[in-house]
């Protein structure tokens, strides 16, 4: 079978390094119009560069800068190629149907139209074969008109409004036609049919490709081998694919690649016909002399020659398309075009592997694996998956695999999850179909991915792991067409391999993620709970302690997965729910696991009761049981055994994980709807009685004796921990534990003789007692006596916690702070919301001393400088991370008290002043608190921000003195904090106008609040505060700046100052209030000018008389978007309109309605504004970016935090006298200097 000729072996013209071309407009034989000899012909690529210019093997890699195949210098005249005789089996073209959409009668020759053909393809309602047959019929009637219609169809499909007329077709070359169409192309919108939104364009690409495929299919027996239409169509598509207009390039590449795919199918069919013809010829020739038919031999030879000629024609077309389109467009700047090329070459390799599945074509896919766009890499991997999934083709991929295997393995860690998923699946196919290709090092690169957070990626890696490690050992054999039931030995082997992989790899600490990754491919093995439990209950098992713990975790994880179907915490899945079939399977699995594990759970608890690490997960199994089976299957005896084992476990252990799991398991069983509730309630009462009696005895010993040994202290602490855990899940009010615990805590506070191990659970017990009492009172009408009794208990407990805040033990201090914060929040005024006004007597407001102690605790335990974290893997680093989480919990509790009005809002200054210094640790919490405080009271929040700066300044002044204060590093940190506070106001200048003026006025008062001694020329000690205040100046309007300058001047007149000597802070502050005449010029002095972005407003046409200086665009610190269409057409420069729709436009309009506008303010609505943004990539303290949930609603701060210097809003028109209009914010009373 002849294959596609190599690009280096094609005939080459000596006149052109780019190839030999055929004319676009060719005179049709039999009396058709001819062209003048002087008219230039348009060329189509038919060959490759000469071997003298490019070495073999690299001839495909043409550079885009080598010149277009359609330049006039490359055109040459060629002789007409005679049309080949069609095959004898040529079908008769169908007649046009009645009512057809294609109406061409009466069409003028000078105005060819393709709207009917384009509209029919766009509508996708008519039969595509009938549509093509109608076009073929019209083409046979008038070849020029029919071909022009086809050309205009492709032009219209590109979104171009222009058409190719017969005059253009006769007199213009191909490149001239394309240049003319480019000039007519409308680039105002980036949309064209392939990318246009809307339902009418949704199916256009599919219909367009179907039309091209049908066209080739209907022409494959005749018109395909006529030299005129196909050669010139290929020339047109190749020329359009070389255009700078994206729509032309995209659409023509899609059409050319679809055409190439259809030609490949025709070539494949021709090769099949040639093989069949060859067999017929050989069979006829091998007959005896008497049986041989010479006429048949001659007919077969003629047909072979005809098929050979047709195949050469098809190969020539395919080479022209490949060399003219694919070689240039597979590396196009547009990723959609590159993806089309890769997808189509993959289909050629699969359908016609004899010619295309060679290294000379595979290299394009290998090179494109490094593409920077996700969709292109994804297409490459999907193409390779189709090739590697066919075992017959893998033998021809060995060289490609060895060359690009490292890249395919590295794509497992691709930043795009869907690309990484396809990469893992591709490696799984290579593992299945190409034995020995992937080394152990390659496989070890995939193993860690089973613990990835993305479930699709982890599941794909789990399948790879299964086929690599488990499948060879646990292969399911097929017998009689049915799957043989896996033997117990095979199941044991599976779990032993799973254990060894998890333990020996040391990649993760939790087996739940490994189980979830293997669930899709090995779910049947993981749901074999019989093998799991038999391994755990075996007496002669050879499992170590770590292996037993891991096997129990695997058991619990598989039970949870089968019962709930949710992935582990932190693993992301895109699915929203289960299908009905999956829910049915889940319900059946839940029944099966419950029936199997209910009898075995007491045995497992009895065997591992001494090990807390193994007992806690076993107790969690009850969460996933169908507990009704205890009744329906009459398994109450196993329930009794479980309750006995539960009591033994609770009495034996004091670890919080075991106690919490046991209390929760008992809570699940204590449902009054169950028929066995009375038994469980009786067992619970027995257990609590036992613990309460033991506590009473040990408490008396503690209260009466002055010294307890370690065993007695441990026993009492363990009893209190058990009671505390059960009090959290169960109502133990009837055992009256409040009074003894309160007495114990009172002694601890008064004498300090109670060990801290006892105090911690006692505090929790009293806390739960108060909450359960509140629950009873809230659910039923309570008397005044009950309310006052609960209020007394709560106040007494708050006093105890307040005393514990000064304890020497940090754990007691933190526990008291947490419980106190929760109680103050619960008993805040919020508790009467929702029709619970009868609880008003319980509302509690903390005294000033308690608020002060809470704030002091926060300063001492939260805002401290921790040590630097290392790699994060050491035990010390884990401890530091846990301590950071604990400090964040403490800060969150305090901030909730501020937001809900429990504490005075002024106390927030103690938090806000650490915003910049501790931004990495608590930035999100403080940011959310600041946002909520501003929502509650904007004015008060602004005063708190100023108070925070005052406190920091005063502290620094007391430590360092007034001399050289503004040169200290601490003062620079304060300036950074002031800048961050200023940015937190957002871009709403008009909304924050009064707040900014108030903040500046208060700051000026503070800076001059302490005057120097009489007769001294030294500056006031607080004067450097003006430098901090200057960070807020960019948020002021120009009239307000003028008024503040006047206000500052009047204030300074009261202060003695050396003549001719200006204080530095005053100069800095006045400079921040001084106007900059031209912001654009100022930007040029300090920073490079960024590119301009055209912003079109609704009133653009009304600004024709604006001066050129007022037509400057905003100076934006951003990269302009890539133009959607780049054209060779020359366009006149359009004037840039100003901004009309600013974020504060609505409020600004309200402001203009409320008061008259000054000249400066009126210019805001008639000219653009200028905004200067320094090009600084990062602000202070932002070097280390943490992945953190953003709680702020004002995202503007994150965008503006990069600004190192001030931002200025400037008005370009002349200012008029506006002091009269600005005094509504700075009235005469506020401007009175006597305030000082």
């Amino acid at each position: 079978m002849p294959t596609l000729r190599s690009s280096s072996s094609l005939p080459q013209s000596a006149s052109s390094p780019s190839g030999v071309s055929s004319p676009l407009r060719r005179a049709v034989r039999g009396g058709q119009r001819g062209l003048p000899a002087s008219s230039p012909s348009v060329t189509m690529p038919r060959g490759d560069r000469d071997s003298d210019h490019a070495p073999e093997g690299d001839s495909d890699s043409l550079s885009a800068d080598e010149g277009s195949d359609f330049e006039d210098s490359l055109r040459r005249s060629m002789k007409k190629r005679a049309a080949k005789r069609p095959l004898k089996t040529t079908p008769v073209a169908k007649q046009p149907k009645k009512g057809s959409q294609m109406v061409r009668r009466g069409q003028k020759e000078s105005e060819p139209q393709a709207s009917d053909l384009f509209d029919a393809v766009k509508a996708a309602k008519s039969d595509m074969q009938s549509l093509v047959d109608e076009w073929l019929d019209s083409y046979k009637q008038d070849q020029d008109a029919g071909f022009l219609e086809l050309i205009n169809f492709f032009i219209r499909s590109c979104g171009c409004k222009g058409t190719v007329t017969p005059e253009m077709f006769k007199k213009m070359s191909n490149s001239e036609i394309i240049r003319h169409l480019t000039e007519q192309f409308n680039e105002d919108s980036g949309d064209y049919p392939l990318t246009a939104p809307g339902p009418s364009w949704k199916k256009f690409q599919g219909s367009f490709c179907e039309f091209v495929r049908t066209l080739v299919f209907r022409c494959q027996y005749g018109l395909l081998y006529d030299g005129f239409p196909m050669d010139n169509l290929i020339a047109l598509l190749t020329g359009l694919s070389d255009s700078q207009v994206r729509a032309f390039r995209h659409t023509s590449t899609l059409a050319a690649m679809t055409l190439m795919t259809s030609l490949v199918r025709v070539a494949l069919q021709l090769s099949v016909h040639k093989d069949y013809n060859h067999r017929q010829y050989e069979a006829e020739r091998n007959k005896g002399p008497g049986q041989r038919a010479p006429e048949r031999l001659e007919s077969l030879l003629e047909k072979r020659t005809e098929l050979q000629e047709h195949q050469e024609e098809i190969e020539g077309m395919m080479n022209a398309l490949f060399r003219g389109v694919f070689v240039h467009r597979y590396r196009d700047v547009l990723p959609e075009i590159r993806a089309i090329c890769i997808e189509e070459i993959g289909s050629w390799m699969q359908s016609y592997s004899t010619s295309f599945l060679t290294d000379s074509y595979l290299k394009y896919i290998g090179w494109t694996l490094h593409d920077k766009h996700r969709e292109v890499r994804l297409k490459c991997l999907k193409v390779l998956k189709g090739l590697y999934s066919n075992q017959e083709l893998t033998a021809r991929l060995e060289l490609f695999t060895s060359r690009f295997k490292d890249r395919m393995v590295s794509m497992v860690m691709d930043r795009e999850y869907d690309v990484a998923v396809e990469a893992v699946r591709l490696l799984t196919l290579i593992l299945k179909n190409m034995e020995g290709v992937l080394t152990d090092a390659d496989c070890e690169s995939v193993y860690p991915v089973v613990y990835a957070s993305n479930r699709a990626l982890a599941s794909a890696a789990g399948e790879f792991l299964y086929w690599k490690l488990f499948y060879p050992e646990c292969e399911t054999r097929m017998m009689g067409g049915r799957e043989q039931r896996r033997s117990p030995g095979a199941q044991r082997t599976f779990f032993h391999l799973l254990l060894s992989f998890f333990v020996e790899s040391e990649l993760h600490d939790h087996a739940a993620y490994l189980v979830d990754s293997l669930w899709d491919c090995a779910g049947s093995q993981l749901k074999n709970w019989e093998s799991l439990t038999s391994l755990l209950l075996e007496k002669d098992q050879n499992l170590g302690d770590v292996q037993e713990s891991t096997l129990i975790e695997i058991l619990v994880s598989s039970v949870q997965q089968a019962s709930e179907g949710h992935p582990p915490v932190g693993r992301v899945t895109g699915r929203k729910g289960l299908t009905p079939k999956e829910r049915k399977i889940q319900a059946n699995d839940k029944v099966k696991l419950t029936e199997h594990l209910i009898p075995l759970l007491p045995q497992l608890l009895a065997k591992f009761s001494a090990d807390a690490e193994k007992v806690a997960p076993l107790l969690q199994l009850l969460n996933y049981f169908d507990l009704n089976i205890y009744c329906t299957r009459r398994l109450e005896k196993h329930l009794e055994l479980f309750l006995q084992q539960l009591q033994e476990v609770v009495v034996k252990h004091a670890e919080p994980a075991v106690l919490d799991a046991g209390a929760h398991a008992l809570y699940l069983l204590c449902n009054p709807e169950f028929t066995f509730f009375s038994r469980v309630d009786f067992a619970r009462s027995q257990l609590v009685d036992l613990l309460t009696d033991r506590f009473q005895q040990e408490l008396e010993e503690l209260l009466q004796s002055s010294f307890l040994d370690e065993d007695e202290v441990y026993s009492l602490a363990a009893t209190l921990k058990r009671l505390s855990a059960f009090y959290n899940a169960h109502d133990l009010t009837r055992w009256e534990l409040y009074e003894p615990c309160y007495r114990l805590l009172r002694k601890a506070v008064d004498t300090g003789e109670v060990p801290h191990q006892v105090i911690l659970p006692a505090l929790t017990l009293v806390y739960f007692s108060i909450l359960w009492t509140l629950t009873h009172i809230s659910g039923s009408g309570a008397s005044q006596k009950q309310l006052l009794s609960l209020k007394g208990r709560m106040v007494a407990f708050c006093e105890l916690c307040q005393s514990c805040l000064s304890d020497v033990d940090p754990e007691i201090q933190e526990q008291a702070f947490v419980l106190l914060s929760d109680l103050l929040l619960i008993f805040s005024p919020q508790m009467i919301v929702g029709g619970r006004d009868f609880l008003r007597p319980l509302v509690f407001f903390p005294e000033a001393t308690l608020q002060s102690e809470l704030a002091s605790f926060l300063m001492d335990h939260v805002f401290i400088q921790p040590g630097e974290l290392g790699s994060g893997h050491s035990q010390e680093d884990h401890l530091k991370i846990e301590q950071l989480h604990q400090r964040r919990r403490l800060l969150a509790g305090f901030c909730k008290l501020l937001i809900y009005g429990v504490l005075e809002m002024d106390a927030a200054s103690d938090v806000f002043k650490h915003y910049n210094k501790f931004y990495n640790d608590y930035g999100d919490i403080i940011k959310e608190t600041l946002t909520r405080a501003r929502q509650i009271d904007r004015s008060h929040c602004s005063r708190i921000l100023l108070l925070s700066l005052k406190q920091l300044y005063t502290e620094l002044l007391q430590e360092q003195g007034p001399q050289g204060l503004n040169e200290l590093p601490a003062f620079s940190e304060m300036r950074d904090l002031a800048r961050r506070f200023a940015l937190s106001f957002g871009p709403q200048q008009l909304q924050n106008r009064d707040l900014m003026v108030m903040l500046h006025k208060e700051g000026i008062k503070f800076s001059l609040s302490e005057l120097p001694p009489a007769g001294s020329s030294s500056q006031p000690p607080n004067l450097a505060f003006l430098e901090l205040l200057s960070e807020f100046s960019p948020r002021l309007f120009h009239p307000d700046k003028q008024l503040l300058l006047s206000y500052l001047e009047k204030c300074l007149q009261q202060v003695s100052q050396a003549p001719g000597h200006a204080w530095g802070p005053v100069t800095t502050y006045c400079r921040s209030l001084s106007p900059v005449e031209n912001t654009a010029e100022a930007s040029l002095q300090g920073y490079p000018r960024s590119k301009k972005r055209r912003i079109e407003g609704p009133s653009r046409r009304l600004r024709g008389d604006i001066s050129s200086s007022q037509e400057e665009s905003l100076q934006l610190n951003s990269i302009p978007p890539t133009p959607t269409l780049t054209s060779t057409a020359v366009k006149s420069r359009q004037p840039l309109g100003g901004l009309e729709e600013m974020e504060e436009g609505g409020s600004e309009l309200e402001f203009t309605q409320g008061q008259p506008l000054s000249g400066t303010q009126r210019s805001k609505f008639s000219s653009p504004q200028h905004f200067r943004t320094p090009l600084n990539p990062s602000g202070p303290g932002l070097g280390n970016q943490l992945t953190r949930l953003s709680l702020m609603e004002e995202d503007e701060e994150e965008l503006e935090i990069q600004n190192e210097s001030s931002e200025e809003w400037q008005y370009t028109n002349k200012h008029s006298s506006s002091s009269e209009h600005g005094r509504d914010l700075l009235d005469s009373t506020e401007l009175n200097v006597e305030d000082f």
Side-chain angles (χ1 to χ4, degrees), residues 18 115 147 306 321 450 743 1084 1100 1208:
S18 298
S115 59
F147 185 69
E306 185 180 20
L321 285 170
V450 296
R743 284 191 297 146
L1084 282 174
R1100 179 177 175 182
E1208 292 281 347

Side-chain angles (χ1 to χ4, degrees), residues 357-375:
L357 193 58
T358 60
D359 296 327
S360 59
Y361 293 101
L362 283 169
K363 64 183 180 183
Y364 295 107
I365 298 179
W367 292 339
T368 319
L369 285 173
H370 298 269
D371 197 278
K372 63 181 180 179
H373 281 84
R374 161 192 161 275
E375 58 183 298

Side-chain angles (χ1 to χ4, degrees), residues 808-1022:
V808 294
D809 190 279
E811 292 185 12
I812 295 178
Q813 291 178 326
E814 293 180 359
Q815 180 76 350
F817 182 86
V818 171
L819 297 179
L820 195 55
S821 301
D822 289 346
L823 276 182
L824 291 178
L825 189 62
I826 293 171
F827 287 88
S828 67
Q830 301 292 329
M831 72 182 310
I832 63 175
V833 177
R836 295 183 296 179
D837 194 68
F838 65 95
L839 297 178
R840 186 177 297 276
L842 295 179
V843 176
F844 176 72
F845 293 96
E847 298 179 353
T849 55
L850 178 56
Q851 297 187 36
S852 177
E853 289 194 33
L854 289 173
S856 300
F857 174 86
L858 202 69
M859 298 303 105
D860 298 337
H861 291 79
V862 175
F863 294 110
I864 57 177
Q865 288 289 354
E868 294 293 332
L869 284 176
S871 61
H873 300 292
S874 64
Q875 189 68 26
E876 184 179 356
D877 290 339
H878 285 293
L879 180 60
K880 290 179 181 178
I881 293 174
E882 288 297 329
Q883 292 174 352
L884 175 61
H885 286 317
Q886 177 64 13
R887 292 195 298 271
R888 286 174 58 85
R889 284 192 289 268
L890 297 176
L891 177 60
F894 185 82
C895 291
K896 284 190 290 185
L897 296 178
L898 293 172
I899 293 173
Y900 285 98
V902 179
L903 303 180
E904 294 292 337
M905 188 59 75
D906 289 339
S909 62
D910 294 326
V911 176
F912 294 160
K913 67 183 180 182
H914 297 95
Y915 187 20
N916 194 62
K917 189 175 182 180
F918 292 89
Y919 185 80
N920 289 336
D921 293 339
Y922 317 122
D924 55 339
I925 300 176
I926 301 177
K927 188 177 181 181
E928 175 68 10
T929 306
L930 179 59
T931 304
R932 296 295 184 89
R934 184 175 285 115
Q935 292 173 356
I936 295 172
D937 191 337
R938 300 181 65 86
S939 177
H940 195 191
C941 180
S942 303
R943 295 179 185 274
I944 294 173
L945 295 181
L946 186 63
L947 178 61
S948 302
L949 294 174
K950 290 179 182 178
Q951 291 175 352
L952 287 175
Y953 182 87
T954 304
E955 293 173 4
L956 185 62
L957 184 64
Q958 293 175 353
E959 293 177 2
Q960 304 294 337
Q963 298 299 328
L965 194 67
N966 54 358
E967 299 177 358
L968 297 174
F971 190 82
S972 299
E973 293 180 0
M974 279 193 286
R975 290 200 67 161
D976 294 337
L977 178 63
R979 184 180 301 114
R980 193 180 290 274
F981 282 164
L983 294 174
S984 68
F985 283 91
Q988 295 85 7
Q989 268 191 297
L990 194 62
Q991 187 177 2
N992 298 321
R993 183 180 183 184
D994 54 342
L995 303 180
M996 284 291 103
V997 173
M998 178 271 297
L999 189 145
H1000 277 267
K1001 184 176 71 68
E1002 295 294 333
I1004 293 173
K1005 288 182 181 180
F1006 175 75
S1007 63
L1008 300 175
S1009 58
E1010 297 183 14
L1011 302 179
S1016 173
S1017 60
S1018 61
Q1019 67 181 27
N1022 294 341

Side-chain angles (χ1 to χ4, degrees), residues 66-81:
E66 292 180 4
S68 171
D69 291 316
F70 295 89
E71 296 294 333
D72 292 340
S73 60
L74 301 181
R75 288 185 272 111
R76 53 177 289 188
S77 300
M78 297 182 62
K79 294 182 179 180
K80 291 189 298 179
R81 183 179 60 193

Side-chain angles (χ1 to χ4, degrees), residues 155 352 373 471 991 1049 1203:
I155 299 300
Y352 200 4
H373 281 84
Y471 183 78
Q991 187 177 2
E1049 183 180 357
N1203 300 344

Side-chain angles (χ1 to χ4, degrees), residues 6 230 322 337 344 358 481 560 601 627 718 754 877 884 930 946 983 1047 1099 1108 1219:
S6 173
M230 279 301 164
F322 186 83
I337 295 179
E344 295 303 324
T358 60
Q560 180 183 6
L601 184 55
L627 298 178
V754 180
D877 290 339
L884 175 61
L930 179 59
L946 186 63
L983 294 174
Y1047 180 64
S1099 57
S1108 61
S1219 59

Side-chain angles (χ1 to χ4, degrees), residues 405-431:
K405 182 186 68 173
D406 293 340
R407 173 56 184 164
M408 290 187 285
V409 173
S410 66
M411 293 181 74
V412 171
M413 306 304 295
D414 196 278
R415 63 181 180 179
E416 301 290 344
Y417 281 128
D418 49 355
V419 176
V421 169
E422 294 298 329
V424 175
R425 291 174 179 171
L426 174 61
L427 293 179
T428 305
L429 289 174
I430 296 176
L431 179 68

